[in-house]
Amino acid sequence: MAVTTIKAKTVLQEQVVVEAEVRGHKVRIDEPEHLGGTDTGMNPAELLLSALGACQSIVARTYAEKFDIDLKQFWVELEGELDTDGFLGKSEVRPGFSSIRSVFHIETNAPKEKVQAFKEHIEAHCPVGDTIHHPVDMDSAKVVIED
Amino acid sequence: MAVTTIKAKTVLQEQVVVEAEVRGHKVRIDEPEHLGGTDTGMNPAELLLSALGACQSIVARTYAEKFDIDLKQFWVELEGELDTDGFLGKSEVRPGFSSIRSVFHIETNAPKEKVQAFKEHIEAHCPVGDTIHHPVDMDSAKVVIED
């Protein structure tokens, strides 16, 4: 067991701009103009897909040598479906992603079968992928009313 | 039905640095030094929590008026547990988050009961929260071997 507690803080700014901060690293989140924002950053759903692709990439880097894969280039294209009626309360559909797909682009001289096993290993060991794919315990938020 | 396709692209750089790009917006992801990185950005698990807090914040901004909440300040502290043995393949434990908690800090003059109903509405309509809390269909990644 090597249980780690991961933390983040997000602060709502003007309109729908949000600043996230973790260990001094900041990310600006916003919505495009047609969704009521000023388009100065990714929106949260896009950032979630980015976290997934980044996670798959880091797992790939970490395990490439073990699988004897020369990783010359590695990039991921991600996409998923989300019904905005859920967020807007227009229907009982779930507000989140119904499905998410990844395409791994790998520049390598390794044979296909090795790359296939490598891919399966990445998916089975990716923390963000597992978090999205399977249910996670989430207690209802605690609220602190500030003076 | 207002199903939208959300997209992202991530490109592995040197070591475990990843650049995510969506509609021209870029985010740099890295790991801290004790996890083999150069600490030039959040790691993917932290970015996932940031996406969640940002989503909760944007839902809060969107619905505050409807709930008659004067939202002077709104920030979220997030934390979750992750067993790194899962990612490292040292045990059969899941690689992802086992649990995630949020604390909403709200500066408002609204009465407690209204704030409570507001909180429940935010949680029920947050796309990223729903995506993490409940299972999502994820096909195994397609692999393209590049020349």
Side-chain angles (χ1 to χ4, degrees), chain A:
Chain A
M1 290 270 289
V3 178
T4 308
T5 300
I6 315 271
K7 296 183 183 195
K9 182 183 176 184
T10 59
V11 182
L12 184 60
Q13 317 279 321
E14 68 283 0
Q15 300 185 52
V16 291
V17 173
V18 181
E19 187 177 84
E21 183 169 358
V22 178
R23 299 180 294 105
H25 301 296
K26 293 181 181 184
V27 173
R28 187 180 173 92
I29 298 107
D30 196 353
E31 294 284 349
E33 289 175 17
H34 73 275
L35 294 174
T38 49
D39 197 23
T40 59
M42 295 183 193
N43 74 18
E46 292 164 340
L47 198 65
L48 180 90
L49 292 186
S50 296
L52 174 58
C55 194
Q56 292 165 331
S57 303
I58 291 173
V59 179
R61 174 70 81 203
T62 304
Y63 281 102
E65 203 177 344
K66 191 176 173 188
F67 279 76
D68 205 15
I69 306 278
D70 57 320
L71 211 56
K72 285 178 198 145
Q73 297 285 345
F74 185 89
W75 73 97
V76 186
E77 288 178 292
L78 307 111
E79 57 177 53
E81 276 70 47
L82 198 153
D83 190 333
T84 53
D85 280 356
F87 160 63
L88 296 169
K90 289 186 184 173
S91 84
E92 290 300 304
V93 70
R94 70 179 294 182
F97 280 101
S98 52
S99 63
I100 292 176
R101 296 168 302 287
S102 302
V103 180
F104 295 174
H105 295 265
I106 308 180
E107 195 183 321
T108 180
N109 290 322
K112 249 186 182 173
E113 312 75 61
K114 270 195 182 172
V115 175
Q116 181 67 24
F118 180 54
K119 175 198 85 164
E120 286 167 13
H121 190 86
I122 294 170
E123 292 186 307
H125 293 85
C126 174
V128 173
D130 174 63
T131 300
I132 294 172
H133 195 184
H134 302 114
V136 174
D137 278 346
M138 289 174 77
D139 293 337
S140 182
K142 192 182 158 198
V143 173
V144 178
I145 299 181
E146 306 282 340
D147 293 325

Side-chain angles (χ1 to χ4, degrees), chain B residues 96-144:
Chain B
F97 280 102
S98 52
S99 64
I100 293 176
R101 296 167 302 286
S102 303
V103 180
F104 294 174
H105 295 265
I106 308 179
E107 195 182 320
T108 180
N109 290 321
K112 249 186 182 173
E113 312 76 59
K114 272 194 181 173
V115 175
Q116 180 68 22
F118 180 54
K119 174 198 86 164
E120 287 168 11
H121 190 86
I122 293 170
E123 293 187 308
H125 294 82
C126 174
V128 173
D130 174 61
T131 300
I132 295 172
H133 194 183
H134 302 114
V136 174
D137 278 349
M138 288 173 78
D139 292 338
S140 183
K142 192 182 156 198
V143 172
V144 178

